[in-house]
Amino acid sequence: MNSKLETGEKPYSCEVCGSSFTRKRNMLRHMQTHTGEKPYSCEVCGSSFTHKFHMLNHVRIHTGEKPYSCKVCGFSFAYKQNMLPHLRTHTGEKPHSCEICGSSFAEKHHLQQHMRTHTGEKPYSCEICGSSFTYKHHMFRHMRTHTGEKPYTCEVCGSSFTQKISMLKHMRTHTGEKPYSCEICYSSFPHKQHLLRHMRTHTGEKPYSCEVCGSSFTQKMSMLQHMRTHTGEKPYSCEVCGHSFTQKISLLRHMRTHTGEKPYSCEICSHSFACKQNIVQHMRSHTGEKPYSCDVCCSSFTQKQNLVTHMRIHTGEKPYSCEVCGCSFTQKQQLLRHLRTHSSEKPYSC
């Protein structure tokens, strides 16, 4: 054996950085990092490399060769360094630990990424708007907001998405999968945020408050829609007649007055309705259900508005007044009939 290797002597030194080596060929190979020389080229795509084994590793991209196999599950890899972290999925080994919070990781680069949660480092920046990100894949995902790229496509309906997770969530609309269940009433939901929102029906939590009147809401969207009652904003306009609405759903319902669409049909008598609440009310004519009850006399009604009108019998409230003579009425229909007494048609009197 070479005596220089036995003694650990490194007689070959790099004149550029001072690194020393036991073998001359190792020193010469190291010099290529300074000269930029890449003498080994791929015959398929022309990529060049400083070391022969890097070129041989690269060639596996073209050949598909995966010589390193997991003895547990048989999964194979093109590179040895990829197989070693995979083995930890079987052993559970996490040799890389965070000195700040104690979290442990199977791979060193996962620890390095985790450390940014403590340092606040965001090394990846968008060249277009300057936004910065902790992880490289977050920056790539953000770039799609500028390019409009949607690389993930639903195989069922063809809808496309910027993020894979969005496409997977969308697939539940086709599969009907609802993996998130309420532990109280066992209702299930396709998305976690839907479950969290539902839980407020049990807890009574209303985390969103109106800064104007203090009204609180279980959903942020409900609060934003409510704010329009103060601002008067009506951002949704009908392209046919110009009517505007505070909510998109109100515009969609209104459009049916133009299209004549009645998507809600009664399975018993085949009557159809433009609005869902109308068919709900109609079904009570078949079931006899009267869910709205008077607390004073126990009369019950199929519609909430009928109960509101009925309560005026007990309260004496008459909110509809005639501008001509001042007579007031409990119902709007009574006022309209009364107005005929001031016209040429006089079938009724005050």
Side-chain angles (χ1 to χ4, degrees), residues 38-49 55 58-59 61-62:
K38 296 182 178 181
Y40 303 99
S41 297
C42 172
E43 295 180 356
V44 179
C45 67
S47 297
S48 56
F49 304 87
M55 188 268 288
H58 162 80
V59 168
I61 295 173
H62 304 298

Side-chain angles (χ1 to χ4, degrees), residues 63-344:
T63 63
E65 181 189 6
K66 295 181 178 181
Y68 302 100
S69 297
C70 173
K71 294 180 180 179
V72 179
C73 66
F75 208 86
S76 57
F77 302 86
Y79 311 110
K80 187 176 182 179
Q81 62 266 33
N82 290 347
M83 185 189 69
L84 294 176
H86 164 80
L87 286 172
R88 294 174 187 144
T89 63
H90 300 298
T91 64
E93 181 189 6
K94 295 182 178 181
H96 306 286
S97 298
C98 173
E99 295 180 355
I100 299 175
C101 68
S103 299
S104 57
F105 303 88
E107 299 183 45
K108 188 176 181 179
H109 75 274
H110 288 166
L111 170 61
Q112 291 171 339
Q113 290 176 346
H114 163 79
M115 289 303 295
R116 295 171 190 153
T117 63
H118 299 299
T119 63
E121 181 190 7
K122 294 183 178 181
Y124 303 101
S125 297
C126 172
E127 295 180 355
I128 298 175
C129 68
S131 298
S132 56
F133 303 88
T134 305
Y135 305 113
K136 192 174 184 178
H137 68 276
H138 287 178
M139 190 265 287
F140 285 143
R141 192 168 62 194
H142 161 81
M143 287 300 294
R144 294 172 191 150
T145 63
H146 299 298
T147 63
E149 180 190 7
K150 295 182 178 181
Y152 303 102
T153 303
C154 172
E155 295 180 356
V156 179
C157 67
S159 298
S160 56
F161 303 87
T162 56
Q163 300 181 37
K164 187 176 182 179
I165 187 64
S166 298
M167 189 267 286
L168 294 175
K169 287 179 179 178
H170 161 81
M171 287 301 296
R172 294 172 189 154
T173 63
H174 300 299
T175 63
E177 181 190 6
K178 295 181 178 181
Y180 302 99
S181 298
C182 173
E183 295 180 356
I184 299 174
C185 67
Y186 303 107
S187 297
S188 57
F189 304 88
H191 308 302
K192 188 176 182 179
Q193 62 267 34
H194 292 174
L195 170 61
L196 296 175
R197 194 165 59 197
H198 161 80
M199 289 303 296
R200 294 171 189 150
T201 64
H202 298 298
T203 63
E205 180 191 8
K206 295 183 178 181
Y208 304 101
S209 297
C210 172
E211 296 179 355
V212 179
C213 67
S215 298
S216 56
F217 304 86
T218 56
Q219 300 179 37
K220 187 176 181 179
M221 181 52 67
S222 298
M223 187 268 287
L224 294 175
Q225 289 175 348
H226 162 81
M227 287 299 295
R228 293 171 187 153
T229 62
H230 299 298
T231 63
E233 180 190 7
K234 295 183 177 181
Y236 303 101
S237 297
C238 173
E239 296 180 355
V240 179
C241 67
H243 273 74
S244 56
F245 303 86
T246 57
Q247 300 181 34
K248 188 175 182 179
I249 187 63
S250 299
L251 170 61
L252 294 175
R253 282 198 296 254
H254 163 80
M255 288 303 296
R256 293 170 189 154
T257 63
H258 299 298
T259 63
E261 181 189 8
K262 294 181 178 181
Y264 303 101
S265 297
C266 174
E267 295 180 356
I268 298 175
C269 67
S270 299
H271 272 70
S272 57
F273 303 88
C275 302
K276 188 175 181 178
Q277 62 266 33
N278 289 351
I279 191 172
V280 171
Q281 292 172 355
H282 164 80
M283 288 303 296
R284 293 170 188 151
S285 66
H286 297 298
T287 63
E289 180 190 9
K290 295 182 178 182
Y292 304 103
S293 298
C294 173
D295 294 334
V296 179
C297 68
C298 297
S299 297
S300 57
F301 304 88
T302 57
Q303 298 182 34
K304 187 176 181 179
Q305 185 56 48
N306 291 347
L307 171 60
V308 172
T309 302
H310 164 81
M311 289 302 296
R312 294 170 188 152
I313 295 172
H314 302 297
T315 62
E317 181 190 7
K318 295 183 177 182
Y320 302 101
S321 297
C322 174
E323 295 180 356
V324 179
C325 68
C327 286
S328 58
F329 304 88
T330 57
Q331 298 181 37
K332 187 176 182 179
Q333 187 177 10
Q334 291 172 340
L335 169 62
L336 294 175
R337 283 201 302 257
H338 162 78
L339 286 172
R340 296 175 190 153
T341 64
H342 298 296
S343 66
S344 55

